[in-house]
Amino acid sequence: MAETTVAEVMAELAALEDPKARAVNEKHGDDHGVNLGKLRAVAKRLKTQQDLSLQLWATGDTAARLLALLICRPKAFGRDELDTMLREARKPKVHDWLVNYVVKKSPHAEDLRQTWFADPDPVVASAGWALTTDRVAKNPEGLEGLLDTIEAEMKGAPDRLQWAMNHCLAQIGIEHPEFRARAIDIGERLEVLKDYPTPPNCTSPFAPVWITEMVRRQSS
């Protein structure tokens, strides 16, 4: 099979540009106009290509970076490489996919979680909290301290960091019955995301509602 070049991929992404998709994506802070289903179809065809992934990431283009994350080999990245990429990933979807599709599968995930958790940049710190949320389900160590931090800092945290802390709060309440009452109490007092517009048939991200609904589903 002939090697796919960056120029060919960039031309394909340009051809997939859709004004409606761009309008939707831009509402979420993402500056690209490629439908994500179509982007995934391109990734499926390209399969895993680490070198091409690195070249696409280097373009700085948001759609190209999303594609790069779908065709990369997560365990091939070094720790410092992932740290640099995370600090470059300023668009929400790129940030989320990098953390969820790549860093979580990396042998450096725990090291990076600790590095990012208290970073002064709230977007970087939100990645540390996202990895901590993932860890909460597997390892109950230190949950009391996490709840103390959430109680003290979540209300005044910038949006992205606040969202990640709130997810961690909900995860603690869902996964650990012994901390459930405290998690719900913190959520009720801080009222973070209480009025978040939630579509029908979706669970509210307001922690007390989220915890209660997920626990109900698990027991039904």
Side-chain angles (χ1 to χ4, degrees):
M1 192 173 97
E3 192 176 331
T4 309
T5 67
V6 172
E8 287 169 347
V9 175
M10 295 304 288
E12 186 170 2
L13 292 176
L16 290 172
E17 175 75 25
D18 174 1
K20 286 182 182 172
R22 180 170 285 276
V24 171
N25 292 333
E26 285 184 343
K27 277 186 185 171
H28 301 289
D30 296 306
D31 60 344
H32 73 96
V34 180
N35 173 282
L36 294 179
K38 291 179 179 176
L39 191 79
R40 289 181 186 279
V42 174
K44 193 173 179 182
R45 195 190 74 244
L46 291 172
K47 299 188 171 68
T48 302
Q49 296 191 47
Q50 181 69 4
D51 288 346
L52 179 59
S53 169
L54 294 175
Q55 292 167 34
L56 288 170
W57 182 270
T59 66
D61 177 82
T62 298
R65 285 189 159 182
L66 290 171
L67 182 59
L69 296 171
L70 293 175
I71 66 168
C72 74
R73 190 174 288 111
K75 292 178 180 173
F77 293 103
R79 179 220 176 271
D80 292 348
E81 202 172 4
L82 289 171
D83 183 58
T84 299
M85 289 169 73
L86 192 278
R87 292 173 193 281
E88 290 174 358
R90 307 311 290 182
K91 301 302 174 190
K93 188 65 73 177
V94 176
H95 176 100
D96 290 346
W97 283 17
L98 176 59
V99 172
N100 288 300
Y101 297 170
V102 182
V103 179
K104 282 183 182 178
K105 297 175 183 174
S106 162
H108 308 293
E110 177 58 18
D111 182 7
L112 290 169
R113 183 188 75 80
Q114 294 178 29
T115 299
W116 294 338
F117 186 78
D119 195 277
D121 181 334
V123 175
V124 175
S126 75
W129 277 90
L131 293 171
T132 299
T133 299
D134 199 46
R135 181 174 172 269
V136 158
K138 303 166 190 166
N139 184 350
E141 192 183 329
L143 296 186
E144 202 123 15
L146 280 176
L147 289 171
D148 290 346
T149 303
I150 291 167
E151 191 167 18
E153 299 176 15
M154 181 169 75
K155 184 84 171 175
D159 288 352
R160 294 276 291 284
L161 179 55
Q162 185 183 71
W163 187 274
M165 293 173 93
N166 182 71
H167 189 178
C168 189
L169 175 66
Q171 193 76 6
I172 292 171
I174 292 162
E175 298 286 346
H176 299 282
E178 67 275 27
F179 292 107
R180 189 168 294 151
R182 185 180 174 198
I184 289 172
D185 178 60
I186 290 170
E188 285 173 343
R189 279 187 290 106
L190 298 186
E191 298 189 335
V192 167
L193 301 175
K194 185 176 183 179
D195 300 320
Y196 190 82
T198 306
N201 303 319
C202 290
T203 303
S204 167
F206 178 48
V209 174
W210 190 354
I211 293 166
T212 304
E213 173 58 17
M214 296 311 291
V215 171
R216 184 192 67 76
R217 285 186 202 176
Q218 286 171 2
S219 62
S220 61

